[in-house]
C-alpha cells in the first residue's frame, strides 16, 4: 500500500511536498495508518488529537495513545480536552455536531497559530460509500451522492482512494497498534447498520464494487460540475443583484427549459422546503410572498425578489460587560497600554467613548455606521454589498453597540468615531474569537 | 390503493382516458394487480402474454392462467409462444436479452395491428430501487441512477409510484389470484441478491426509505435534465455537422470549463471506453486517431472528427433468394397481383428488373442511389443527413442490392429504377420486419 499511497500523493497531492502537515489523529486504525504512511514518506507532520470526554477513561486512553505514538515517531503532538456535552447543550446542537464544530475550530486554530499548511484526515473509500448510503437513505440529490471531497480548502483526505480492507492489511503487515473505538460499535445507528449489515451484503454483489463505486462518484462529480457551469450561465441571464436582495427575472427564467429545476438550483440553500409554492410564486400576483426561516421570496411585477428576514436577526440582544461576553459569541475586553494594528478580529477603541454595558445584536436593514477611515455614514447593506459578503453569510454577522451606536461590525470593520486618537487616555482592546 | 392509483392516473397519465390499452401480463402479482386496477377504473384493456418456453409446464400454466384471467374479466387476450433459447443462440445474445427483444417486438406488432394506443407494464417502485442498485453495483453515472421512465413513447408504467408491499396488500385484500414465477427465486443472481438480502436491510435504515428514494430520483432526473439543456447549448457552440461526420472544435471546447466532462457527454454512446485517450487526442498531432468498435475519432487541425467505421459495416454480405431471407434480418418476398402503397417497411418492385439472388449488406460511404420519385443520383451519406438520421442509427441500416445496384435502403427509401410502371408484368412485394 505504501507504493500506491506514494503514487497517489505524487499524482493528486503533489502540492503537499515540503509543507507542514497536521494530521487529525483519533488513535484509531485509519489515522494511525495515515500517520505511518506520511512518516514513511518523510513528510513534516504533527498530530492533533481531540479528547471529547465522551467515553471517560477510554477517551483519556486514546489521548495517551496518540501522545505515545507521536513520541515514538519523534513528531509534535497537540491534544485538547473538550466538554462536548456542555457545548452541545449551550448551543442546542447534537453531541455529534458539537464534536464536529469543536474539532474543526480547534484544528483551524492550530493551523493558524503554529503555521501548519494543511490538515489531513484519514477518511477512506468505505467512509465515502457509507456517506453515499446515509444520504440515499434520507433522500438526497446529485450533490449528496458525489462523495466526500478529496480537497476542501486546507483539509486534505489522501486515503479516499483506499478501502478499509487495504488499510487494515497495511496495519497488520507492519505490526501497527491502534485503539478500537467502542462507540463505533453502537453510537451512530444508521452508519453502523450500513457498515455492518447492508454494505457487506452489497459488496458481495460485485467483486469490483468499490472500484466501480469510485468510477460512479467521479462520473457524478463531473455531472455536478457541468450543472454548476450551466447555472453560472443561467445566473448571469436571469439574476440581478441589488444592495440587499437578489432579483430573478420571471420572464427570462420561464423561457429556459426546466424552469422549476433551475429555480431549485438558484434558491437551494436559503432554507425553502415547499418547492411547489416557490414555483407557483412565478405566476402569483405582485405582493404575494413566501418565507423560509431566514429568507423572504416576494413576487414583485416580473421579478422574484429574495431578501433576508432581518427581523429574525435583530430579535435578540445581549448585554456586554467590561469583561466581555462568552455567549453567544466570544468577546474579550481588556485595557491596553499600547495600540497595535487593528485586525479583522481585533480592535482598539477609546474607552471613554464607550458607555457600558455595551450591547450585542444581529444587524438589521436600517443600520448605518461610519466605516473606520471614512468620513460619511454608510448603510450596512451597502457595506456588505461592497465587501462582497454572500447573502447567506450576512445573517451570521454580529454588531457591538454603545448607546445604540455601532462600535464594531464584528469581524469586519469598526466605526470611525470610536477609534483611538491623540486625546485618548485609556485604550481598550477588544478581541473576537469564534 | 385503488384511490391513490386513480389519482395517479388522473394526475400523471390523464392522456390515457378513452384510449385502447394493452397490458403486458405475465400472470405474476404485479401485472395481475395492474389489470384489476385498470379494469376497476373501466379502461378499455386487453392482455398480452409471452410464453418464452423457458420453464416447461410452468410457462404453459402461466399462459393458461392469463387466458383464464382475461376470460373472467371479459377482455381480449393475446398469447404467443417463443423459442427464446433458439433466438438467443441465433442472435448470439443472452436469454434475457432475447426474451426482451422478442417481447417488445411482439408487443409493438399488436399495438400496430390491433390499433392499441399504449402498452402498460407493471414495473413498481421496488423494481426501480433494484435497478438503481444494479447499476450502482456495476458502476454507472447520473443516467444510470435516474430510474425507469414512467413514460417512454408508447410504454407507460403507472405503478412506478407504488411499492411491492402496497401491491401485495391490494391483491390480498381483494382476494386476487396470481402465479408465482419460480425463476424469480433464482435466475437473476444480482437482482435476487439485492431483493432478498441487501434491500430489506437497507429499508430498515429509514421507515420512509421508498418515499425518500422517489424524491432522490426526481432530483436526479432534474439534474439530468439540466445537463441535457446545457449540452444542447454546448453542442451548438462546438459541434458542426458534416455530411457523414461530426466535427468538434477543439479550441472552442477547451475554452469551456470541465472540457473532459463535456467531451464525455458529447461522445458517450459511440462505443469509446478509453476516455483518457479521447481527452489526449485534443492535444495530439493532426492525423492521430482512435477507434471504438463502431467509430473513428480523428484529430484534424483544430477539430476532432467523428465518423462511422464503414468498413465494418460492409464486411459481411448475405444472399437473398426468391423467398427472401430470415437472418440477419427478416425479408419476405412474394408475388403480388396488385400494387399497394409503398411504406417504410414494404415496397413493390418490378420483378424483371431484379437479378436473383439479391444481396444484403450494410451501407458504405461511397454508396449512391436514385431515391424513389427523384431524377438524379444521391450519395447515401447525403440522404441520411437530409433525413436527419442520427449518426448512431445509421450503422443499423441494411441495403438490398441487385447486381451491385441498390434496390432498397431497407426501412427508408427504394431506388426509383426498380419501381413498378406501366410496362411491369410481374410485381414482387418485399416486406421487412425487424
Amino acid at each position: 500500500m505504501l507504493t500506491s499511497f506514494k503514487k497517489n500523493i505524487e499524482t493528486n497531492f503533489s502540492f503537499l511536498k515540503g509543507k507542514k502537515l497536521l494530521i487529525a489523529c483519533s488513535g484509531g486504525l485509519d489515522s494511525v495508518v495515515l500517520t505511518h504512511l506520511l512518516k514513511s514518506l518523510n513528510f513534516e507532520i504533527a498530530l492533533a488529537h481531540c479528547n471529547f470526554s465522551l467515553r471517560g477513561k477510554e477517551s483519556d486512553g486514546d489521548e495517551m495513545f496518540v501522545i505515545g505514538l507521536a513520541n515514538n515517531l519523534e513528531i509534535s503532538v497537540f491534544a485538547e480536552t473538550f466538554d462536548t456535552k456542555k457545548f452541545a447543550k449551550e448551543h442546542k446542537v447534537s453531541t455529534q455536531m458539537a464534536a464536529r464544530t469543536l474539532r474543526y475550530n480547534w484544528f483551524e486554530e492550530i493551523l493558524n497559530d503554529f503555521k501548519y499548511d494543511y490538515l489531513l484526515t484519514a477518511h477512506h473509500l468505505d467512509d465515502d460509500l457509507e456517506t453515499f448510503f446515509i444520504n440515499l437513505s434520507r433522500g438526497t440529490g446529485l450533490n449528496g451522492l458525489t462523495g466526500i471531497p478529496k480537497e476542501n480548502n486546507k483539509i486534505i483526505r489522501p486515503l479516499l482512494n483506499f478501502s478499509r480492507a487495504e488499510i487494515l492489511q497495511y496495519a497488520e503487515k507492519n505490526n501497527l497498534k491502534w485503539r478500537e473505538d467502542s462507540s463505533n460499535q453502537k453510537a451512530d445507528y444508521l452508519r453502523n447498520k450500513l457498515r455492518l449489515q447492508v454494505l457487506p451484503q452489497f459488496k458481495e454483489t460485485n467483486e469490483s464494487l468499490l472500484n466501480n463505486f469510485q468510477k460512479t462518484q467521479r462520473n457524478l462529480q463531473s455531472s455536478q460540475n457541468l450543472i454548476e457551469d450551466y447555472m453560472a450561465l443561467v445566473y448571469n441571464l436571469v439574476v440581478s443583484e441589488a444592495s440587499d436582495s437578489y432579483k430573478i427575472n420571471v420572464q427570462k427564467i420561464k423561457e429556459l427549459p426546466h424552469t422549476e429545476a433551475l429555480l431549485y438550483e438558484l434558491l437551494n440553500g436559503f432554507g425553502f422546503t415547499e418547492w411547489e409554492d416557490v414555483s407557483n410564486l412565478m405566476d402569483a400576483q405582485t405582493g404575494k410572498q413566501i418565507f423560509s426561516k431566514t429568507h423572504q421570496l416576494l413576487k414583485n411585477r416580473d421579478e422574484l425578489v429574495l431578501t433576508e428576514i432581518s427581523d429574525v436577526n435583530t430579535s435578540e440582544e445581549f448585554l456586554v460587560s467590561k469583561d466581555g461576553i462568552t455567549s453567544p459569541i466570544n468577546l474579550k475586553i481588556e485595557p491596553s497600554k499600547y495600540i497595535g494594528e487593528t485586525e479583522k478580529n481585533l480592535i482598539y477603541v477609546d474607552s471613554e467613548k464607550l458607555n457600558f454595558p455595551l450591547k450585542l445584536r444581529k444587524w438589521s436593514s436600517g443600520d448605518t455606521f461610519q466605516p473606520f477611515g471614512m468620513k460619511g455614514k454608510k448603510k450596512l447593506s451597502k457595506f456588505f454589498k461592497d465587501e462582497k459578503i454572500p447573502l447567506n453569510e450576512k445573517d451570521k454577522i454580529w454588531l457591538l453597540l454603545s448607546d445604540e451606536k455601532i462600535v464594531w461590525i464584528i469581524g469586519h470593520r469598526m466605526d470611525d468615531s470610536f477609534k483611538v486618537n491623540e486625546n485618548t487616555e485609556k485604550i481598550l482592546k477588544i478581541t473576537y474569537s469564534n
Side-chain angles (χ1 to χ4, degrees), chain A:
Chain A
M1 182 180 174
L2 183 59
T3 319
S4 52
F5 180 76
K6 189 177 173 208
K7 202 179 152 199
N8 183 36
I9 294 281
E10 287 167 355
T11 313
N12 299 313
F13 306 101
S14 56
F15 56 87
L16 293 182
K17 211 179 158 185
K19 299 293 181 185
K20 282 180 73 181
L21 311 181
L22 184 69
I23 302 174
C25 187
S26 68
L29 169 67
D30 311 332
S31 56
V32 166
V33 166
L34 179 60
T35 302
H36 278 276
L37 286 167
L38 288 166
K39 181 72 186 169
S40 303
L41 298 180
N42 295 315
F43 276 98
E44 185 183 349
I45 55 174
L47 305 185
H49 176 83
C50 299
N51 183 338
F52 293 113
S53 320
L54 292 171
R55 288 170 293 115
K57 277 189 184 166
E58 207 181 311
S59 290
D60 298 335
D62 291 348
E63 182 175 343
M64 291 316 300
F65 174 83
V66 171
I67 292 172
L69 174 66
N71 289 340
N72 283 343
L73 296 176
E74 300 182 336
I75 56 180
S76 305
V77 59
F78 302 85
E80 178 86 37
T81 303
F82 300 98
D83 192 340
T84 313
K85 289 244 157 99
K86 190 177 157 204
F87 182 92
K89 211 175 157 188
E90 277 175 10
H91 292 77
K92 292 174 188 153
V93 293
S94 67
T95 311
Q96 220 175 337
M97 179 64 84
R100 201 190 139 83
T101 307
L102 289 167
R103 182 175 143 94
Y104 279 104
N105 285 347
W106 181 60
F107 288 153
E108 206 178 314
E109 264 178 49
I110 307 179
L111 288 181
N112 287 331
D113 295 352
F114 295 88
K115 309 289 173 214
Y116 283 87
D117 298 297
Y118 294 101
L119 175 74
L120 277 66
T121 75
H123 291 99
H124 52 63
L125 190 49
D126 287 84
D127 291 325
D128 211 5
L129 185 66
E130 284 163 18
T131 303
F132 181 102
F133 273 78
I134 286 171
N135 292 337
L136 189 61
S137 167
R138 291 173 178 157
T140 186
L142 183 53
N143 236 325
L145 301 180
T146 51
I148 307 171
K150 283 201 178 68
E151 266 183 73
N152 190 3
N153 283 321
K154 297 198 155 186
I155 305 176
I156 310 291
R157 299 183 175 95
L159 287 184
L160 270 182
N161 285 340
F162 298 90
S163 67
R164 181 178 286 125
E166 285 173 288
I167 291 170
L168 179 61
Q169 201 188 10
Y170 177 84
E172 288 176 341
K173 209 174 136 192
N174 292 276
N175 292 315
L176 303 186
K177 288 189 173 47
W178 66 90
R179 299 274 295 178
E180 293 291 350
D181 180 347
S182 69
S183 77
N184 269 352
Q185 312 301 324
K186 53 191 176 188
D188 185 344
Y189 165 77
L190 176 55
R191 191 175 283 273
N192 280 313
K193 171 97 187 163
L194 291 168
R195 183 178 298 174
L196 303 175
Q197 300 186 332
V198 180
L199 294 176
Q201 294 273 5
F202 185 46
K203 283 182 189 169
E204 285 174 16
T205 63
N206 193 316
E207 57 180 20
S208 319
L209 190 109
L210 280 174
N211 269 331
N212 295 345
F213 176 66
Q214 274 191 289
K215 272 184 223 158
T216 301
Q217 293 250 285
R218 273 199 297 271
N219 294 338
L220 294 179
Q221 186 56 58
S222 287
S223 294
Q224 181 63 32
N225 291 341
L226 294 186
I227 287 179
E228 282 165 16
D229 295 340
Y230 182 46
M231 289 314 298
L233 291 181
V234 171
Y235 186 94
N236 282 331
L237 210 61
V238 308
V239 177
S240 55
E241 299 179 15
S243 69
D244 56 357
S245 66
Y246 290 90
K247 296 178 176 173
I248 300 172
N249 186 304
V250 173
Q251 195 62 40
K252 283 183 187 162
I253 200 171
K254 276 191 165 183
E255 280 167 13
L256 298 173
H258 301 109
T259 303
E260 294 179 12
L262 294 174
L263 212 51
Y264 173 85
E265 292 289 332
L266 288 175
L267 293 173
N268 184 19
F270 296 107
F272 296 101
T273 52
E274 301 303 315
W275 291 100
E276 217 176 306
D277 294 350
V278 172
S279 292
N280 290 340
L281 202 62
M282 288 190 291
D283 298 317
Q285 284 187 315
T286 284
K288 171 108 177 144
Q289 50 195 317
I290 54 177
F291 295 91
S292 74
K293 273 187 189 162
T294 55
H295 286 80
Q296 175 204 47
L297 192 63
L298 167 76
K299 175 72 187 291
N300 184 25
R301 294 163 188 258
D302 197 34
E303 290 177 331
L304 295 184
V305 184
L306 178 73
T307 25
E308 270 186 289
I309 306 169
S310 321
D311 292 345
V312 168
N313 299 332
T314 55
S315 62
E316 246 191 316
E317 293 187 345
F318 301 85
L319 295 181
V320 182
S321 74
K322 289 207 173 187
D323 304 324
I325 190 168
T326 55
S327 176
I329 66 167
N330 211 343
L331 276 190
K332 197 160 84 184
I333 301 181
E334 53 195 333
S336 175
K337 296 220 162 128
Y338 63 93
I339 170 168
E341 204 175 329
T342 293
E343 294 173 20
K344 262 182 83 169
N345 293 333
L346 165 66
I347 61 170
Y348 296 89
V349 295
D350 187 331
S351 177
E352 287 173 16
K353 294 177 183 160
L354 297 181
N355 192 8
F356 280 92
L358 305 181
K359 212 183 269 175
L360 189 73
R361 66 161 168 84
K362 290 285 180 81
W363 74 286
S364 84
S365 57
D367 289 328
T368 58
F369 83 129
Q370 182 183 346
F372 183 85
M374 280 180 60
K375 293 261 153 96
K377 290 259 178 190
K378 192 168 191 171
K379 284 192 92 168
L380 263 62
S381 54
K382 177 84 168 74
F383 172 75
F384 290 143
K385 184 169 155 52
D386 295 346
E387 295 283 304
K388 295 197 173 30
I389 294 171
L391 197 53
N392 49 354
E393 289 291 316
K394 282 193 275 177
D395 63 352
K396 293 174 192 153
I397 292 171
W398 291 91
L399 305 181
L400 183 68
L401 301 104
S402 173
D403 294 330
E404 301 302 330
K405 271 197 78 210
I406 292 174
V407 179
W408 189 17
I409 302 174
I410 295 171
H412 290 275
R413 191 77 66 90
M414 69 176 284
D415 188 280
D416 197 74
S417 40
F418 294 93
K419 74 179 172 196
V420 175
N421 62 22
E422 61 280 14
N423 305 318
T424 302
E425 291 183 357
K426 281 171 67 184
I427 300 173
L428 285 182
K429 174 182 171 187
I430 310 182
T431 316
Y432 164 61
S433 55
N434 55 357

